[in-house]
Amino acid sequence: MSVAVAETVAEIKARNKELVQEVLKVYPEKTAKRRAKHLGLFEDGKPDCGVKSNIKSVPGVMTIRGCAYAGSKGVVWGPIKDMIHISHGPVGCGQYSWASRRNYYIGTTGVDTFGTMQFTSDFQEKDIVFGGDKKLAKIIDEIEVLFPLNKGISVQSECPIGLIGDDIEAVSKAKTKEYAGKTIVPVRCEGFRGVSQSLGHHIANDAIRDWVFDKMDGKPARFESTPYDVAIIGDYNIGGDAWSSRILLEEMGLRVVAQWSGDGTIAELEATPRAKLNVLHCYRSMNYISRHMEEKYGTPWVEYNFFGPSKIAESLRKIASHFDETIKENAEKVIAKYQALCDAVIAKYRPRLEGKTVMLYVGGLRPRHVIGAYEDLGMEIVGTGYEFGHNDDYQRTTHYVKDGTLIYDDVTGYEFEKFVEKVQPDLVGSGIKEKYVFQKMGVPFRQMHSWDYSGPYHGYDGFAIFARDMDMAINSPVWKMTKAPWAA
Amino acid sequence: MPQNADNVLDHFNLFRQPEYKEMFENKKKNFENPVADAELERVREWTKTDEYREKNFAREALTVNPAKACQPLGAVFAAVGFESTIPFVHGSQGCVAYYRSHFSRHFKEPTSCVSSSMTEDAAVFGGLNNMIDGLANTYNMYKPKMIAVSTTCMAEVIGDDLNAFIKTSKEKGSVPQEFDVPFAHTPAFVGSHITGYDNVMKGVIEHFWDGKAGTAPKLDRVPNEKINFIGGFDGYTVGNLREVKRIFNSMGVEYTILGDNSDVWDTPTDGEFRMYDGGTTLEEAANAIHAKATISMQQYCTEKTLPVIAAHGQETVALNHPIGVKGTDEFLMAISRISGNPVSAELTKERGRLVDAMADSAAHIHGKKFAIYGDPDLCLGLTAFLMELGAEPVHVLATNGGKAWQEKTEQLLASSPFGKNCHVYAGKDLWHMRSLLFTEPVDFLIGNTYGKYLERDTGTPLIRIGFPIFDRHHYHRYPVWGYQGGMNVLVWILDKIFDEIDRNTNVVAKSDYSFDIIR
């Protein structure tokens, strides 16, 4: 159990308010004013979480956020496995994001798939001075020679591209023409654009709209449509998440025609406008393209949540409600089929996790989506926040969090450390940059971006792994040894 | 249903179950528009050929799987080696998220570093306001003793002037006038992470020795008996610097490690998070001007730093990441010559033990062919040690190696009969290495974690030595320098060799006659 002193909701609220005031004291006045807007607590009945979001990070505070390039190359485009994604600019961005996101895929890497490779234009000073367009053209030529089975190329802009006035669109168009209509996508995801990864997602979505979909207009489909065609949108297949989700959709009789973008292909992107329903997991990173498909092709979209049995059952029913009775019945069958597994998992792990408290700080959908899975195990979320959420994320969060929950948007290293120190949760779920900070403090931790190299966590198969991992983190004997027996 | 509460299947096994295999097959067949199997196989085989190698080496613009990172990473590496110092990277904020993640994945430790979080408006108007606000915030929040400023490519492209910006920030009261804010321009489009290390080390030294950017009197050198030591960008910094300290102590030589990040990347789990720990004190950094000499363990990490030090009247010695007997001999003899103290009996005995171990095991390494890649100095150190062991380096590759490095490596190879069949590849990447391993196979590959892709594709067993190592834990805690370090490297090489022999001799009734219990 948490040793935090606050017990009643009123006490928790008072403590959290005090805590926010306390951390703000460290800042110069101007910064304190800015940060105050991002820190707060959820009050029952309010339409959002009472914090501002999607605003520029304050310089020098140690934000945990990344950049637009990370949102485009790292999140949206990178997992499309049969395309080559050029990190266009200096070597670093591509190097640090090389294969680190665990977007699983099946294919022969380097021959027909390229997911865990690092293609870079490795800009040198002369490229900055004279421009990189000629180099980019040559890179595309060299790719065509050495990787003839690639199905397309994307150009992921790093900071200098937009600053030196390169015309990557012109190069892409010219090369598309030269290579018989090949899909070559320029993406203006320079890292200085926007305030976080988030704009990169949006730019990447728009690039799919403009450079993939628009080319498809009037072209014949590769397969016959069925009434049950759906596309999985916003699942990056981290540790196989999209696979343990897809299997459930298929079991209920739906046909998954595309995965966006984990283990995805350009063919799947192209086929998506023919789906009858888009099922959207990560709203934050792919709501843009879902809305576009709704407007242009009339494809409805539905948000779902495949973390933990309660939310999975709810989501399966919600997805089924868009289809006929057969699918609805199938959804019930799928839920029934996995009931025994869920019961066994909960019977095994809930007694070990009951009442444990958790603080989260993640990106995308996870600061809210994983809450149900923790609650299925009897755990309680006492604080949560988004790296790059918008207000619509905080609105959606109100359906998940309890009265008085501490909320921190774009949290700084200092704030997060202080919050955890005072709230003393039994588990922190955040990223690699935070992991060791909290473990040093003796607080159990799980990385909730990469699943700490485990996973999948989606679907019923994933829930068993999730439960096992949370138990492993919290109940590891190592946490009993952080104090030397002779230390005071 | 494959999953089971009693025996939870991880991703390793879950997706090999028939339900998933069938799902993958159908996905591929129906929706992926896959390449035909025969065509896939044809191209896969083609990538292994001499013809492909020729096309691969004809590349002029494209880089695939490089073994180097950008300057700012090395900048952060150098900066965290000073006491209570926080690196402040001026430019886009995503870069800092990347450096911190990269180091944490290697060291399994936190890495504290801040950004000035420049966005579109800063791209247009310059990042001065970001610097002013950022320095004030960092100073107030994280209570550093020093803030070491470096740059990302964004700030470099728009031409922000760090010296002027820091001066203005101080005038605006971001940090006190006398507060130490050394700086270095570290454009990502010049050199690599080792260049960034060099620039920051030089920046810190110039700051303390040459009058803190015109705000303090320059220091006058009053020579003493100390030796400065600079390790360079080194994935084994935790183990190595502790070993180096032991060596200096053993010889009774006073020393200053410039950039000692061995504690900050090895803090205990005892209930307290130490944002800062250990490090070269600012006083030591300043007083290092008085030392008799400076030894750099990595020439190519200190190409700009050493001339600055030499210009202050010190002797400088540049080594190339010495590993093994001769390299360590040279290192110790340099300390001995400069200090006048003999190499200690303790170290001499350790030398004998390393030679003893090499004699015990050399038969298993002799004549084995190796490919090596890594940073330029590491490649030199490893190549020298392998030749001492009677191994034959065949390919030595450094993506961030230049012409001078290539020549130096070729000279080293020419000094031993074991180096005569080796080629050196400067500026090439791991996709070039892939072609080399297919067309001129070797017995073992030495490289960082990314080498596992080469191991998978070419079947060449990988011995993980280098940076980063993400997929094995704790090797950074072991030294590779000193005779003890040589012993570690020897053991790692031998472990892989023996594992491979066992793996090749374990088929019952086919090959297990050689599955010996004594080797």
Side-chain angles (χ1 to χ4, degrees), chain A residues 86 88 121 123 130-141 143 153-155 157 161 165-179 182-188 211:
Chain A
I86 303 165
H88 191 40
S121 44
F123 261 35
F130 299 110
D133 285 342
K134 278 187 186 151
K135 189 173 199 182
L136 178 60
K138 198 170 207 178
I139 284 171
I140 293 170
D141 293 340
I143 284 175
I153 293 168
S154 79
V155 183
S157 301
I161 304 306
D166 274 12
D167 191 351
I168 59 170
E169 290 79 9
V171 176
S172 300
K173 278 182 193 157
K175 287 293 164 187
T176 292
K177 214 167 169 188
E178 188 180 333
Y179 292 109
K182 184 181 198 81
T183 300
I184 300 175
V185 184
V187 191
R188 287 287 181 178
W211 298 83

Side-chain angles (χ1 to χ4, degrees), chain A residues 56 159-164 190-194, chain B residues 90-92 116-130 152-160 165:
Chain A
K56 271 197 281 190
C159 287
I161 304 306
L163 300 171
I164 60 176
E190 289 89 344
F192 61 82
R193 293 192 197 277
Chain B
H90 184 54
S92 305
S116 65
S117 295
M118 284 164 66
T119 55
E120 283 108 325
D121 53 343
V124 177
F125 302 110
L128 176 59
N129 288 332
N130 298 66
T152 76
C153 53
M154 179 201 181
E156 289 299 325
V157 171
I158 65 174
D160 279 3
F165 281 18

Side-chain angles (χ1 to χ4, degrees), chain B residues 23-74:
Chain B
M23 187 179 89
F24 298 151
E25 273 306 302
N26 287 333
K27 176 179 185 289
K28 182 177 172 187
K29 190 174 67 196
N30 296 327
F31 305 112
E32 291 187 358
N33 186 27
V35 174
D37 288 348
E39 176 66 354
L40 174 65
E41 207 42 44
R42 184 191 68 77
V43 175
R44 196 228 295 256
E45 288 305 315
W46 174 63
T47 67
K48 301 176 182 175
T49 61
D50 284 315
E51 182 200 340
Y52 189 87
R53 170 176 167 168
E54 200 177 306
K55 289 181 191 299
N56 193 7
F57 273 77
R59 265 191 282 145
E60 289 175 351
L62 172 67
T63 299
V64 185
N65 297 355
K68 68 170 182 183
C70 66
Q71 275 213 50
L73 185 81

